[in-house]
Amino acid sequence: MNKITAAITGVGAYLPEYKLTNKILETMVDTNDEWIVSRTGIKERRILKEPNAGTSYMAIRAAQVLFKKHNIDPKTVDLVIVSTATPDMQAASTAVYTATEIGATNAFAFDLEAACSSFLYGMSVASKYIESGRYKRVLLIGADKCSSMIDYTDRATCIIFGDGAGAVLFEPNTEGLGLQDEYLRSDGFGRDFLKVEAGGSVLPTTVETLEQGKNFVYQDGRTVFKHAVSNMADAAEKILAQNNLKKEDIQWLAAHQANKRIIDATANRIGLEEKQVLVNIDKYGNTTSATLPLLLWDFEKKFKKGDNIIFATFGGGFTWGAIYYKWAY
């Protein structure tokens, strides 16, 4: 019997209609298009404007797109994982609500939170469930309503983040395709450099925390950038070394879309050409957990069966890692 690996067999996505362009941001904070593009690579980002709509709103729609595109009966899904840093609410799981709303009535569900590495970690978790042989279909969704934690008077953060969701379906594969290997790391040293300080159990929301802006995201940009460049590039390099891969063996780099300079540094470290690097940060900004599945959604038609893809991320906490993956269709 051939070894079971976990392979992505379908992709879906949802992006809000509203586009927050750099030109619009120029009217909101002291910044300009040239400055934003030169430092981040971002030209516009999508913002969810629907009233009373949270992360699940986008997760549900991304899953529905996947189901419709690939003619999937949601009742055949065994597990739903929502990777997110912005759950709908505390205590009540966003994934559980999402699973019910999409009709995945035979699935169990849970949230997975590791900041911008949430989807990458989710790929690892989803694959393990498939490889166990007990589960046949795992729906992994990366979704974040980043605008819910952004102060749009803070030019250091409001230019970076956007909203969106992407979904992938993992199924068993016996051709040796799918997830091949992983290198995942974390370090609590980074806890204070990228965070939303209030709203959790350490510092619950109060009138004072709201007045002090502690319910918005805070980022020490210089420190985060330095560690992101080194760690994401290191992870990509190590996953190649771990599998005796050379740059000639890799077709694509799917890196977390946080900053174009970080993406370029990672690609340069493993010797890839610009045409091999998947980039859509210019259109969506940093959608946190959604960046990787949105890359798959945008570039799916370019992939060929057997293509080697290196996924790499870095996120708050700090969390980071890389995955070696063989495209399965």
Side-chain angles (χ1 to χ4, degrees):
M1 181 177 177
N2 292 336
K3 178 185 175 183
I4 295 174
T5 54
I8 293 168
T9 57
V11 183
Y14 174 82
L15 289 154
E17 290 185 11
Y18 180 78
K19 296 179 181 180
L20 179 58
T21 66
N22 291 348
K23 290 295 183 184
I24 295 173
L25 280 171
E26 287 179 5
T27 68
M28 298 166 62
V29 291
D30 182 17
T31 191
N32 60 73
D33 177 70
E34 182 183 359
W35 190 92
I36 296 171
V37 173
S38 65
R39 284 162 177 79
T40 68
I42 302 168
K43 297 178 181 178
E44 60 187 36
R45 62 293 288 147
R46 302 295 183 93
I47 304 297
L48 183 63
K49 291 284 192 177
E50 278 73 10
N52 304 313
T55 292
S56 65
Y57 180 93
M58 298 183 290
I60 290 164
R61 281 152 182 78
Q64 289 171 336
V65 168
L66 188 158
F67 291 159
K68 183 177 181 180
K69 180 181 177 183
H70 297 280
N71 194 28
I72 300 294
D73 179 356
K75 291 183 174 62
T76 65
V77 174
D78 301 307
L79 166 61
V80 176
I81 302 171
V82 173
S83 294
T84 184
T86 55
D88 284 359
M89 59 184 72
Q90 287 184 296
S93 168
T94 300
V96 171
Y97 177 72
T98 298
T100 297
E101 290 299 300
I102 62 178
T105 53
N106 293 315
F108 71 104
F110 58 85
D111 295 352
L112 191 158
E113 200 279 301
C116 294
S117 298
S118 296
F119 188 84
L120 188 82
Y121 284 18
M123 290 177 69
S124 173
V125 173
S127 294
K128 298 304 182 290
Y129 277 103
I130 294 293
E131 290 166 7
S132 74
R134 180 173 292 183
Y135 304 97
K136 304 301 181 186
R137 283 183 163 169
V138 176
L139 179 67
L140 173 63
I141 304 171
D144 269 303
K145 185 182 177 182
C146 296
S147 61
S148 67
M149 57 180 180
I150 298 301
D151 176 1
Y152 283 94
T153 66
D154 176 17
R155 67 175 183 174
T157 56
C158 73
I159 66 170
I160 298 170
F161 295 95
D163 303 337
V168 301
L169 186 68
F170 275 94
E171 295 187 271
N173 184 280
T174 55
E175 300 177 89
L177 303 172
L179 198 147
Q180 304 296 304
D181 197 16
E182 61 188 41
Y183 176 85
L184 306 178
R185 290 293 182 270
S186 60
D187 188 345
F189 155 80
R191 176 180 169 112
D192 291 329
F193 299 109
L194 178 53
K195 63 182 178 180
V196 177
E197 188 173 359
S201 60
V202 172
L203 188 64
T205 301
T206 63
V207 172
E208 289 74 22
T209 65
L210 291 171
E211 289 175 345
Q212 294 166 11
K214 292 185 177 181
N215 293 81
F216 294 123
V217 71
Y218 162 79
Q219 176 173 269
D220 179 338
R222 190 180 298 274
T223 301
V224 172
F225 181 85
K226 180 180 72 173
H227 285 274
V229 167
S230 60
N231 285 319
M232 201 159 89
D234 283 350
E237 189 175 49
K238 284 176 180 175
I239 198 72
L240 264 64
Q242 220 165 260
N243 292 276
N244 297 313
L245 295 169
K246 297 180 174 62
K247 63 181 182 180
E248 294 80 13
D249 300 319
I250 306 303
Q251 278 72 52
W252 307 103
L253 171 66
H256 171 54
Q257 306 288 290
N259 185 296
K260 182 62 164 56
R261 292 183 292 168
I262 299 172
I263 299 167
D264 290 343
T266 303
N268 290 336
R269 178 75 73 84
I270 59 176
L272 296 187
E273 298 179 24
E274 186 176 355
K275 64 182 180 181
Q276 296 173 275
V277 183
L278 307 180
V279 177
N280 59 13
I281 190 173
D282 55 317
K283 297 189 295 182
Y284 310 138
N286 181 354
T287 54
T288 310
S289 307
T291 63
L292 295 185
L294 287 176
L295 284 175
L296 297 182
W297 172 256
D298 278 357
F299 294 96
E300 182 184 18
K301 291 180 180 178
K302 288 182 174 288
F303 305 151
K304 297 181 178 62
K305 187 174 181 178
D307 275 1
N308 289 329
I309 305 174
I310 299 299
F311 292 88
T313 62
F314 181 87
F318 291 133
T319 61
W320 70 95
I323 280 177
Y324 164 35
Y325 184 91
K326 282 185 174 290
W327 195 249
Y329 63 93

